[in-house]
Amino acid sequence: MSSKIEPIFLSMHFHDRCIPEEIKKQWTEYGPVGCRDEETLLNLRKNGVPAYLSGCATALLPKRIPNPEKQSKVIVVDVPEELFSYMP
């Protein structure tokens, strides 16, 4: 990573309980890490990484209007590409 970049880890989530040492070092150096969910938060803290519960970044998106026929945007997060063909 460039020394000119200071990352902000926000709304992080991962399934692996084992964190590679290189990633753990980076998260510790640039932490605290914002976690999307409590499971990730507890896992990071268990591994010595400073962390806090930030919640999901999608909560920052604007509220959708109640009438689906008037929707002009679809926001997709963490969805396999094969599901795109089923979306409007």
Side-chain angles (χ1 to χ4, degrees), residues 13-20 23 27 39-40 43-44 47:
H13 171 77
F14 54 93
H15 297 283
D16 271 341
R17 295 208 182 271
C18 180
I19 304 170
I23 293 174
W27 285 349
E39 181 180 352
T40 301
N43 187 23
L44 286 181
N47 281 279

Side-chain angles (χ1 to χ4, degrees), residues 1 7 9 19-31 33 44 47-50:
M1 179 181 307
F9 299 109
I19 304 170
E21 285 302 316
E22 184 177 321
I23 293 174
K24 190 187 307 188
K25 180 182 175 194
Q26 186 180 47
W27 285 349
T28 301
E29 180 180 349
Y30 293 105
V33 175
L44 286 181
N47 281 279
V49 177

Side-chain angles (χ1 to χ4, degrees), residues 27 31-35 40-45 48-54:
W27 285 349
V33 175
C35 300
T40 301
L41 171 69
L42 295 174
N43 187 23
L44 286 181
R45 287 181 175 172
V49 177
Y52 65 97
L53 188 61
S54 64

